[in-house]
Amino acid sequence: MYINIKNLLKEGKTTQEVTLKGWVRTFRSNRFIALNDGSTIENVQVVVDFENTDEEILKRITTGAAIEVKGTVVESQGKGQSIEVQATEVHILGDSNPEEYPIQPKKHSFEFLRENAHLRVRTNVFGAIMRVRSVLAFAIHDYFQQNGFFYVNTPIITGSDAEGAGEMFRVTTLDAKNPPLTEEGNVDFKKDFFGRETNLTVSGQLEGETFAMALGKIYTFGPTFRAENSNTSRHLAEFWMIEPEVAFLDLDGNMDLAEDFIKYVLKYTLERCREDIEFLNNRFLEEEKTKPQNERSSMSLIEKLEFVINNNFKRVSYTEAIDILKNSNHNKKKKFQYLIEEWGADLQSEHERYLVEKHFQSPVILFDYPAKIKAFYMRLNEDGKTVRAMDILFPGIGEIVGGSQREERYDVLVEKIKAMGIDEKELWWYLDLRKFGTAVHSGFGLGFERLVLFATGMTNIRDVIPFPRTPQNAEF
Amino acid sequence: MYINIKNLLKEGKTTQEVTLKGWVRTFRSNRFIALNDGSTIENVQVVVDFENTDEEILKRITTGAAIEVKGTVVESQGKGQSIEVQATEVHILGDSNPEEYPIQPKKHSFEFLRENAHLRVRTNVFGAIMRVRSVLAFAIHDYFQQNGFFYVNTPIITGSDAEGAGEMFRVTTLDAKNPPLTEEGNVDFKKDFFGRETNLTVSGQLEGETFAMALGKIYTFGPTFRAENSNTSRHLAEFWMIEPEVAFLDLDGNMDLAEDFIKYVLKYTLERCREDIEFLNNRFLEEEKTKPQNERSSMSLIEKLEFVINNNFKRVSYTEAIDILKNSNHNKKKKFQYLIEEWGADLQSEHERYLVEKHFQSPVILFDYPAKIKAFYMRLNEDGKTVRAMDILFPGIGEIVGGSQREERYDVLVEKIKAMGIDEKELWWYLDLRKFGTAVHSGFGLGFERLVLFATGMTNIRDVIPFPRTPQNAEF
């Protein structure tokens, strides 16, 4: 049996005989192998007795090669590591031709690594990101399960197109070139696999609500899709979303939940992924150094995480926010691309960033937005013009959470559905929730990759998901 | 603040004042409300002082109505419960018209409940199933994270169609009726969203392998899809799958992992969902009673779970299994629809069931299948005709796990890809794993809904997923 490097370093026991299996990161002076097996960002140094090792084997110890090492754990002579392994045997499991292997021990551009997404996770940066992503995902399940929420897998393929959250992908088995047609000459979706037109889900919220109104507290955590042609560093066509939904919870409770949840998962991850996040922290600081002084972050990655964990998010109504923005020097000096002139304006990314990064210098929860710029299912306030919506805005990321108290009143909801031109028959089951045992309830959606961006200090969302899907790109 | 019923019953403290919110399950004698809030299968009995309660309120306490109750916790007079709540106030939050509400306190057919999937989780059976499903999902994450595996979200939309695991759904944004055509008159998928033809994934295995060959131990847990027109009680078009993949692990280790994993998650769930599983156990026994004596299960649901948890799975080679089947009385008396005549035959469900339910009366791991009936990526044995594949067969369920040691040798893999008529260029990235630092590695896939079926004693897979997707059905 062999031991993984994480456990080997944790035990730190010398004099024991071990077997290691992993991949060569570097091999220098024909003597020192930096060996990594993915269990941790740390390599273990393997010292080869080159005078007693076959020349043919030494030649095959190249970056990327898989090897098995038997040897003795001893105190390390080198700095920065407590132990090393003196090899008694080295076996080559799989070669890696240095002329061909793309991941050499040098700096590769992120774009190059995206094109080699099947191999990039063998680098320190992407290994760290993907381990952090995994722990963060578990922290999310852990938080909800500990707090009495039930995990619900809402459908991915949906016949319901009423939510209007964005452009959708069609899912079909019809012949692409010659689809069956109706007598009127339209595509006959009755002949499609599901007997109707179907799409990939943009959100599990509506289905999630049906479960919250039975089990009380639920959450989803699954893939969602947007067929929008946005080639930005913040958008993916396929991304993972977390959507809790809670019966008997109002908007204030919803804000408390979201804030508590985010703090918990970031704290959990910071504690358990210390080495990975320290590595990413250094990478972040290096990157910041390449920027002009006035664009550099005032905090390191770890400081940003600790700031969020330890400080209350500022809660600000949309109306207050508009006042702040309208009266800001930024607005007066026309530094915004979209000037804020009156109540009712939809906030752009530049406004959100101003509030979070300049004005409050803190995560911000904006609430009570104008009904006109928000979705039909959000609860109308007594003023008749705002809804119980909330968005959480994060420095460097922008919107990370969008949520609301849901409209629980049947008549009001029907009216809003009609006003938005949605066919109310499509939503018969959603309306049933308001006909049978309706109650106040709330929920939110959190884009998982945005959270991973924040936790890792990365800036392009394509670098925090294993195989990004974006316009013109579905490789692998 | 209000308390949920699970915590109320756990505390069991009398004399305290509480506020409860939930849904009325039944209301009898104008006095006793069975209240449920989804946190547990247990209802709490609320006793209404009907002489001092408004007649109008009493009328509105109907099955399905959402109510808020304030009252005092007292020792219960009734049997089967330790406490009850004497109401001082009852507020109707949401009415439920008994003339219209579909979920009345009587036995509904599962088919009727499937048509009301948005409300069925308000019944005891489906509440229990969905809570068990949630805990089982968490147990899966817990097992892998505790054992050093990293969670990987492999892509849902894929441009790779090489795996050949089944029929696929096309994902597209092209105009359904008039798609753009190439000069040759074919559909021009270069103009589609991703610049190529894309489908919904049938498995994350191949992408998962890329991560295992960097991080060592990984698992996926996400939705997968099959566009097969099978209307059976065991198939869904959309289902969730768990796929671990481990570097440096051979087939024996893979069998150990799968067995240990299944036992852990079932034990975890049985311990934490005791009330729900006891309820489902009773339902199972009731259903068994409706069957002829000779078709009844010899074990209750809980006995079946404990049997799997406490006994070793039988490990049997395909070759041994064929011998057993060929020489069985079943075969000789021609009771099989497909008679077993020679080595190489693909096993049908009837054969698997015979082995598991009649011959071994235990979960069975079959291994070393003929290469010809298995996928291209499975490792060829030295005999040149079998591959290091394994299937785990469960009583009543059939195949619950399918896995293998993967072919790690570049030349052998290329040859198998060619022999299967797959374009090797499509798999350039998969082949790279064998070019750069290849090593023995293994993994398996487990259909989550099959496991939920087993854990809940249900028989139709449509009843263990919130909103089933099957041919002609994508409602909700």
Side-chain angles (χ1 to χ4, degrees):
Chain A
M1 278 298 290
Y2 69 98
I3 184 167
N4 72 37
I5 293 173
K6 185 175 183 178
N7 290 335
L8 178 74
L9 295 176
K10 210 195 307 180
E11 290 181 6
K13 268 191 293 188
T14 54
T15 77
Q16 65 170 331
E17 302 291 311
V18 293
T19 301
L20 299 175
K21 296 181 186 186
W23 293 274
V24 175
R25 284 293 171 85
T26 57
F27 184 41
R28 61 189 173 80
S29 313
N30 230 7
R31 189 143 185 225
F32 301 108
I33 302 171
L35 189 71
N36 188 285
D37 66 6
S39 63
T40 164
I41 195 165
E42 311 284 347
N43 304 324
V44 71
Q45 175 155 291
V46 174
V47 186
V48 182
D49 176 7
F50 64 95
E51 289 180 334
N52 292 305
T53 304
D54 189 341
E55 186 73 20
E56 271 309 296
I57 297 285
L58 289 174
K59 270 194 206 153
R60 291 167 67 194
I61 303 175
T62 57
T63 296
I67 63 172
E68 177 176 347
V69 172
K70 291 182 198 289
T72 313
V73 183
V74 297
E75 243 177 90
S76 178
Q77 307 303 311
K79 59 178 179 187
Q81 50 202 358
S82 57
I83 56 160
E84 62 188 30
V85 173
Q86 275 176 339
T88 49
E89 287 177 44
V90 176
H91 300 282
I92 307 293
L93 303 175
D95 291 283
S96 176
N97 183 341
E99 309 289 312
E100 293 183 41
Y101 187 50
I103 311 293
Q104 289 302 317
K106 62 163 196 163
K107 208 170 164 63
H108 296 287
S109 76
F110 286 140
E111 187 48 41
F112 173 82
L113 291 170
R114 273 171 224 140
E115 287 160 12
N116 288 283
H118 63 310
L119 299 176
R120 68 176 175 173
V121 66
R122 301 179 181 198
T123 65
N124 279 331
V125 176
F126 285 92
I129 293 168
M130 295 307 166
R131 280 186 296 266
V132 168
R133 182 180 165 106
S134 168
V135 171
L136 201 45
F138 186 68
I140 289 165
H141 284 291
D142 191 54
Y143 177 85
F144 286 123
Q145 300 263 343
Q146 276 193 37
N147 286 284
F149 287 69
F150 300 104
Y151 181 44
V152 178
N153 297 123
T154 49
I156 310 301
I157 299 171
T158 171
S160 143
D161 62 352
E163 222 227 327
E167 293 293 311
M168 294 196 287
F169 290 103
R170 198 166 66 255
V171 174
T172 180
T173 55
L174 293 181
D175 188 87
K177 190 176 162 190
N178 297 306
L181 299 179
T182 61
E183 279 179 19
E184 296 79 39
N186 297 318
V187 174
D188 188 1
F189 286 108
K190 286 219 171 75
K191 300 222 170 82
D192 207 345
F193 188 90
F194 294 108
R196 54 156 70 189
E197 192 173 350
T198 51
N199 297 290
L200 289 178
T201 186
V202 293
S203 158
Q205 178 201 315
L206 305 195
E207 290 90 352
E209 284 184 48
T210 70
F211 268 56
M213 296 308 279
L215 300 181
K217 303 204 267 187
I218 65 96
Y219 70 106
T220 72
F221 188 173
T224 47
F225 305 86
R226 298 279 193 285
E228 268 142 39
N229 198 3
S230 9
N231 251 312
T232 82
S233 61
R234 301 201 312 150
H235 292 89
L236 292 166
E238 172 181 314
F239 58 100
W240 286 66
M241 188 139 76
I242 297 108
E243 298 183 283
E245 192 73 33
V246 186
F248 313 120
L249 190 75
D250 63 14
L251 190 69
D252 288 327
N254 202 24
M255 291 193 238
D256 293 341
L257 173 66
E259 185 170 341
D260 189 52
F261 163 70
I262 290 175
K263 287 175 173 175
Y264 178 88
V265 300
L266 290 178
K267 185 157 185 278
Y268 183 103
T269 305
L270 184 56
E271 281 168 6
R272 279 167 186 76
C273 294
R274 195 78 206 187
E275 289 93 356
D276 285 319
I277 292 179
E278 272 170 8
F279 178 87
L280 293 166
N281 191 55
N282 291 336
R283 192 211 70 82
F284 176 83
L285 292 175
E286 288 300 317
E287 192 178 271
E288 288 297 301
K289 277 189 205 156
T290 66
K291 293 180 183 169
Q293 190 84 43
N294 64 345
E295 286 177 23
R296 287 185 202 166
S297 168
S298 62
M299 289 190 240
S300 73
L301 169 61
I302 291 178
E303 284 166 345
K304 286 203 291 179
L305 292 171
E306 285 173 346
F307 184 86
V308 168
I309 293 166
N310 296 322
N311 286 281
N312 291 334
F313 299 1
K314 293 275 183 292
R315 301 189 184 188
V316 185
S317 75
Y318 167 89
T319 302
E320 286 173 79
I322 286 290
D323 279 345
I324 292 166
L325 290 167
K326 208 160 69 178
N327 298 320
S328 68
N329 280 328
H330 236 67
N331 205 48
K332 288 178 186 158
K333 291 186 181 161
K334 307 203 171 174
K335 282 193 187 165
F336 287 131
Q337 196 187 339
Y338 296 90
L339 294 183
I340 295 293
E341 282 164 6
E342 58 188 11
W343 193 95
D346 204 354
L347 298 185
Q348 304 297 319
S349 169
E350 56 176 344
H351 308 126
E352 297 177 348
R353 294 192 66 159
Y354 178 85
L355 289 169
V356 170
E357 292 165 23
K358 304 273 181 210
H359 189 84
F360 290 107
Q361 300 187 317
S362 154
V364 170
I365 311 184
L366 288 186
F367 62 91
D368 283 353
Y369 281 81
K372 281 191 182 151
I373 60 173
K374 288 289 182 182
F376 73 89
Y377 49 71
M378 297 189 178
R379 195 189 193 281
L380 197 63
N381 274 311
E382 309 312 320
D383 64 14
K385 62 178 191 168
T386 60
V387 287
R388 301 247 72 193
M390 65 148 183
D391 282 356
I392 302 187
L393 312 176
F394 257 42
I397 307 287
E399 183 192 324
I400 195 161
V401 161
S404 69
Q405 187 175 317
R406 318 306 188 187
E407 184 55 75
E408 85 281 12
R409 297 163 298 182
Y410 182 84
D411 296 343
V412 180
L413 186 59
V414 168
E415 208 157 292
K416 289 184 78 179
I417 286 173
K418 281 184 186 154
M420 300 242 177
I422 302 167
D423 181 2
E424 90 180 70
K425 281 196 209 102
E426 282 278 317
L427 287 170
W428 66 274
W429 51 274
Y430 189 67
L431 285 166
D432 266 6
L433 301 182
R434 280 73 183 170
K435 274 167 89 170
F436 307 120
T438 191
V440 164
H441 63 289
S442 299
F444 63 84
L446 178 142
F448 182 49
E449 281 74 20
R450 298 243 173 122
L451 191 63
V452 184
L453 269 186
F454 187 74
T456 58
M458 300 297 290
T459 48
N460 192 319
I461 203 158
R462 295 162 203 218
D463 295 331
V464 298
I465 190 166
F467 297 95
R469 267 62 183 119
T470 51
Q472 300 299 310
N473 177 35
E475 188 64 85
F476 308 105
Chain B
M1 278 300 292
Y2 68 100
I3 185 168
N4 73 36
I5 292 173
K6 186 176 182 177
N7 290 335
L8 178 74
L9 295 176
K10 209 192 316 181
E11 290 181 5
K13 269 191 294 192
T14 53
T15 77
Q16 65 171 328
E17 302 291 311
V18 292
T19 301
L20 300 174
K21 296 181 187 188
W23 293 273
V24 175
R25 284 292 173 85
T26 57
F27 183 40
R28 61 189 174 79
S29 313
N30 229 8
R31 188 141 187 229
F32 301 109
I33 302 171
L35 189 71
N36 188 285
D37 65 6
S39 61
T40 164
I41 195 163
E42 311 285 346
N43 303 326
V44 71
Q45 176 155 290
V46 174
V47 186
V48 181
D49 176 6
F50 64 95
E51 289 180 335
N52 292 305
T53 304
D54 189 340
E55 188 73 20
E56 272 308 296
I57 297 285
L58 290 174
K59 269 192 207 155
R60 293 167 66 194
I61 303 175
T62 56
T63 296
I67 63 171
E68 177 177 348
V69 172
K70 290 181 199 290
T72 313
V73 183
V74 298
E75 244 177 271
S76 177
Q77 307 304 311
K79 60 176 177 185
Q81 50 202 356
S82 56
I83 56 161
E84 62 188 30
V85 173
Q86 274 177 339
T88 50
E89 287 176 44
V90 176
H91 299 283
I92 308 293
L93 303 176
D95 291 284
S96 176
N97 183 341
E99 307 291 309
E100 293 182 40
Y101 187 52
I103 311 294
Q104 288 301 319
K106 61 162 196 164
K107 208 168 164 64
H108 296 287
S109 77
F110 285 139
E111 188 48 41
F112 172 83
L113 290 170
R114 273 170 224 141
E115 287 160 12
N116 289 282
H118 63 310
L119 299 176
R120 68 177 173 171
V121 66
R122 300 179 180 197
T123 66
N124 279 331
V125 176
F126 285 91
I129 293 167
M130 295 307 167
R131 279 186 296 266
V132 168
R133 183 182 165 106
S134 168
V135 172
L136 202 44
F138 186 68
I140 290 164
H141 284 290
D142 192 53
Y143 177 85
F144 286 123
Q145 299 263 343
Q146 276 194 36
N147 287 285
F149 288 69
F150 300 104
Y151 181 44
V152 178
N153 297 123
T154 49
I156 309 301
I157 299 172
T158 171
S160 143
D161 63 353
E163 223 227 327
E167 293 294 309
M168 296 195 287
F169 290 102
R170 198 166 67 253
V171 174
T172 181
T173 55
L174 293 180
D175 188 88
K177 191 175 162 191
N178 297 305
L181 300 179
T182 61
E183 280 179 17
E184 295 79 38
N186 297 318
V187 173
D188 188 1
F189 286 108
K190 286 218 172 72
K191 299 222 170 84
D192 208 345
F193 188 90
F194 295 107
R196 55 157 69 189
E197 191 173 349
T198 52
N199 297 290
L200 289 178
T201 184
V202 293
S203 158
Q205 178 201 318
L206 304 195
E207 289 91 351
E209 285 185 49
T210 70
F211 268 56
M213 295 308 279
L215 300 181
K217 303 204 266 187
I218 66 96
Y219 70 107
T220 72
F221 188 174
T224 47
F225 306 85
R226 297 281 193 286
E228 267 141 39
N229 198 3
S230 7
N231 251 313
T232 82
S233 61
R234 301 201 312 150
H235 292 90
L236 292 166
E238 173 183 313
F239 58 100
W240 287 65
M241 189 139 75
I242 297 107
E243 298 184 282
E245 192 73 31
V246 185
F248 313 119
L249 190 76
D250 63 14
L251 189 70
D252 287 328
N254 201 24
M255 291 192 237
D256 293 341
L257 173 66
E259 185 170 341
D260 188 52
F261 163 70
I262 290 175
K263 287 176 173 174
Y264 178 88
V265 300
L266 290 178
K267 185 159 186 276
Y268 183 104
T269 306
L270 184 56
E271 282 168 6
R272 278 167 186 75
C273 295
R274 195 76 207 187
E275 290 93 355
D276 286 319
I277 292 179
E278 273 171 8
F279 178 88
L280 293 166
N281 191 56
N282 292 337
R283 190 210 71 82
F284 177 83
L285 293 174
E286 288 300 316
E287 191 178 272
E288 288 298 302
K289 278 189 205 156
T290 66
K291 294 180 182 170
Q293 191 83 41
N294 64 344
E295 286 176 22
R296 288 185 203 167
S297 168
S298 62
M299 290 189 240
S300 72
L301 169 60
I302 291 177
E303 285 165 345
K304 286 203 289 179
L305 292 172
E306 285 172 345
F307 184 86
V308 169
I309 293 166
N310 297 322
N311 286 281
N312 292 334
F313 298 2
K314 294 276 183 290
R315 301 188 184 188
V316 185
S317 76
Y318 167 88
T319 303
E320 288 172 78
I322 286 289
D323 280 347
I324 292 166
L325 290 167
K326 207 159 73 177
N327 298 321
S328 68
N329 278 329
H330 236 67
N331 204 50
K332 288 177 186 160
K333 291 186 181 160
K334 308 201 170 176
K335 283 192 187 164
F336 288 131
Q337 195 187 340
Y338 296 89
L339 294 182
I340 295 291
E341 281 164 8
E342 57 188 13
W343 192 94
D346 204 354
L347 298 185
Q348 305 296 321
S349 169
E350 57 176 346
H351 308 125
E352 296 177 347
R353 294 193 65 159
Y354 177 85
L355 290 169
V356 171
E357 291 165 24
K358 303 271 180 212
H359 190 84
F360 290 107
Q361 300 187 319
S362 153
V364 170
I365 311 184
L366 288 187
F367 62 90
D368 283 352
Y369 281 81
K372 281 191 181 149
I373 60 173
K374 288 288 181 181
F376 73 88
Y377 50 72
M378 297 188 177
R379 193 188 194 283
L380 197 63
N381 274 313
E382 309 313 320
D383 64 13
K385 61 176 192 169
T386 60
V387 286
R388 301 246 72 192
M390 65 148 183
D391 282 356
I392 301 186
L393 312 176
F394 258 41
I397 307 287
E399 184 193 324
I400 196 161
V401 161
S404 69
Q405 186 176 318
R406 318 307 188 186
E407 183 54 74
E408 85 281 13
R409 297 164 298 181
Y410 182 84
D411 296 342
V412 180
L413 186 59
V414 168
E415 210 158 292
K416 289 185 77 179
I417 286 173
K418 281 184 187 156
M420 300 242 177
I422 301 167
D423 181 3
E424 89 179 70
K425 281 195 209 103
E426 281 278 318
L427 287 171
W428 67 275
W429 51 273
Y430 189 67
L431 285 166
D432 266 6
L433 301 182
R434 281 72 183 172
K435 273 168 89 171
F436 306 119
T438 191
V440 164
H441 64 288
S442 299
F444 62 83
L446 178 143
F448 183 50
E449 281 74 20
R450 298 242 174 123
L451 190 64
V452 184
L453 269 185
F454 187 75
T456 58
M458 300 297 291
T459 48
N460 191 321
I461 204 160
R462 295 162 203 218
D463 295 331
V464 298
I465 190 168
F467 298 96
R469 267 62 184 118
T470 52
Q472 301 299 312
N473 176 35
E475 188 65 86
F476 309 105

